[in-house]
Amino acid sequence: MLSTTLIHVCPHCQGQRLYKNGHTVRGAQRAKCKDCQRTFTLAPRGPRHSPALKKQVLSAYQDRMSLRGIHRTFGVCYQTVMKWLGEKSRTASRLRGHVAALPGGRRA
Ligand SMILES: [Zn+2]
């Protein structure tokens, strides 16, 4: 028989005095640290879509591919694409604000 033992530690303070503290909406075990009183998910899932796929999808959207077409081709839901577009536009507006703040009122 082959068995493994997994020791969880607090991601915030590396403390080992943890106790179970319910589940996430998706059913993953949550834990609370007795040392720093912070809560966290024991084995969090990573992002569902890879950064490479995200880049590919955003590129397809910029090439005027429809959201339904993106869903058919890449299997990414239109709401996810809209969320990614929101993130991208927020980053772009932050960059525009940075450019506008150059000394002397110059634009880059
Ligand atoms: Zn802790």
Side-chain angles (χ1 to χ4, degrees):
M1 188 174 129
L2 191 66
S3 68
T4 56
T5 304
L6 189 62
I7 298 174
H8 293 284
V9 294
C10 173
H12 308 289
C13 72
Q14 273 64 48
Q16 290 186 9
R17 299 186 324 129
L18 312 173
Y19 59 94
K20 290 182 179 179
N21 191 32
H23 295 85
T24 64
V25 175
R26 292 181 180 271
Q29 181 68 56
R30 299 271 301 161
K32 188 167 184 177
C33 176
K34 287 183 180 177
D35 297 329
C36 68
Q37 301 298 315
R38 294 179 77 173
T39 61
F40 53 92
T41 304
L42 281 183
R45 291 172 37 169
R48 184 168 295 210
H49 303 292
S50 72
L53 178 70
K54 183 177 176 178
K55 192 176 173 184
Q56 210 175 1
V57 165
L58 290 176
S59 170
Y61 184 80
Q62 281 181 334
D63 291 341
R64 306 184 69 80
M65 189 176 197
S66 71
L67 290 171
R68 283 175 187 257
I70 287 173
H71 180 74
R72 276 193 304 270
T73 308
F74 300 103
V76 177
C77 174
Y78 75 93
Q79 286 132 329
T80 305
V81 178
M82 298 308 287
K83 189 181 91 178
W84 289 347
L85 289 169
E87 290 169 6
K88 195 176 174 188
S89 69
R90 271 196 301 277
T91 307
S93 66
R94 231 181 291 133
L95 287 174
R96 273 196 298 277
H98 178 72
V99 169
L102 281 175
R106 286 180 290 121
R107 294 216 167 224

